[in-house]
Amino acid sequence: MMIMTRLLVVAFLLLVQGVTYAQSLERVEPSFWWADMVHPDLQLMVHGDNIAGAQVRLDYPGVQIERVESLDNPNYAFIYLSLSDTLRPGIASLEFVLPSGESVSRPYEFKRRRAGSAQRQGFDASDVIYLITPDRFANGDPANDQVEGLREGPERAYKGGRHGGDIQGIIAHLDYIEDMGFTQIWTMPLLVNDMPQYSYHGYSTTDYYNIDPRLGSNALYAELSAQARQRGIGVIMDVILNHIGSEHWWMKDLPSADWINNGGEFTPTSHRREALHDPHGAMIDKQAFNDGWFVETMPDLNQRNPHLATYLIQNAIWWIEFADLSGIRVDTYSYSDKAFLGEWTRRVMQEYPNFNIVGEEWSVNPAIVAYWQQDSRRHDDYQSYLPSVMDFPLQTTLISALQEPETWATGLRKLYELIASDFLYGDPYNLVVFGDNHDMSRVFTQLNEDPELLKMAMSFIMTMRGIPQVFYGTEIAMSNAGTDDHGIIRSDFPGGWSDDLVNAFTGKGLSPLQQDMQLFFKRLLNWRQTSDAIARGKLTQYAPDNGTYVFFRTSERQQVMVVLNKNDQPASLDLQRFSEVLRGPVNAADAITGRPYRLEDTLTVGPKQTLILQIQQ
């Protein structure tokens, strides 16, 4: 009787253990994949109690388990699958066999790819990117402002709180975005950011595979992309490879001791990116930059760990395929491990050879920024596959050039000299150019709220080589006078909330200045969509002369002449100076107003005026 009781107890415990195990098999990431991908291998990261002790089986045509690896945490198993060309879409059974003999099965789907997915076209110089802070743009679904189980709720009155904007709000205003002439949407991060405070900005990821419920869902993000694409608008995802949020689920049960840099202890980064390029530099300074944390709430990831590196690579590819993306913007690009960045970009571009990725390297030194772009001339043998970088040197120089007095060393001359250093870049036409972004004072504020200088800056950005990016609200001259607080810089877009008295989507309540600026943007951006010279044309610039700066964009089909006059008086240009490019006399038309011009001997430009002339050939 005693023996029978013991056997029943053992059987019961084994049964309970199996049930507990089944319930604690918390994550398999990625949760599904696609057949017919270029790369033949797939890593599954499985998290569950003592999962490392289980045997793994997967019986499906075209799939083979190459190996199963575990690290120093028994709650993780890394399953490496080999996917053959014969793999077809369908659902496999992923089985985990416990030492007790109990087994747990989980379906694993291999999906069918969209037709032409691998050949998708990334954003390029024909586009204009609209940068949106989702929490601050429009509240399309007030029901998701407060989500049970997430730490921070709505607090619209607080500049650093969550204000309720969401993906549905962007979807609801796609007509406005299209009507204004924007062709790409880059949103600040949308993934789960379950932090106790300041979670609205999204840069402290706590789940790499799920959209934050306060912003929507994975399905809604895919719907945004689909509806945007119907309007000819692409979606660019903001990806963070360098760090996570301190409340990421990994931090409660790290896969390995080396998953986080500096042993998981907060050690601030030096921010000295120059250390990576210094021919006389010490290794300790390079490590202080790469391995340091931004802040205590942003643990720094160690991408030298091959399992983590593969996880991050697959995650980017997963989102591109799932949400049908047209591009990726990589946050704090150079802070991640250098070798990893090369492999990450190589793998993404291997899957999508016409795709585009832009990296953020916040330096005003073009040599340091250019280092990361593919085909740039480098001081070492580093191989980069990154197509694009953010042109921070141009942004800084543009602002100073428009405000400084015109001397032999200041003003527009600086802008000319910077463009002359484009030989540093592998492809200067594939740089992302901008007047401001979400991390700096708004361009209107930087230009001392001078509307003519704002128009001059935006005219330059829209016609210079590169891919323009505009921060939401710039089209109505939003500002942050008297403060550089990010919560104010990222203020709510008027009209995005039902009780707003001013509505920029409809024009209700806008000031005359805001109405004029919005109309200017609309005309400029919609004209730009028609310009072959701006999208594909060669740049020819002329040295500034007495406060004027002239450049041309020339393609086989079209020519555009751009003139900036910074002076408070009219300027008269001798057109003979430009005869190398301008085959006159010719007729031209102002791209914004349609006013006709005859370009023959001289051209008069009004005070603080920018002319964009489409030359009729």
Side-chain angles (χ1 to χ4, degrees), residues 196-209:
Q197 57 185 351
Y198 291 99
S199 65
Y200 78 92
H201 56 67
Y203 287 102
S204 300
T205 307
T206 57
D207 187 330
Y208 271 107
Y209 276 97

Side-chain angles (χ1 to χ4, degrees), residues 136 154-163 488 492:
R136 305 297 171 87
E155 192 176 4
R156 192 181 178 198
Y158 177 44
K159 61 186 179 182
R162 301 192 74 95
H163 291 190
I488 301 300
D492 296 348

Side-chain angles (χ1 to χ4, degrees), residues 314-336:
Q314 292 182 168
N315 179 256
I317 294 170
W318 191 92
W319 279 110
I320 294 168
E321 197 72 26
F322 173 79
D324 201 15
L325 302 177
S326 65
I328 283 177
R329 180 262 185 182
V330 184
D331 182 65
T332 58
Y333 189 81
S334 64
Y335 286 77
S336 296

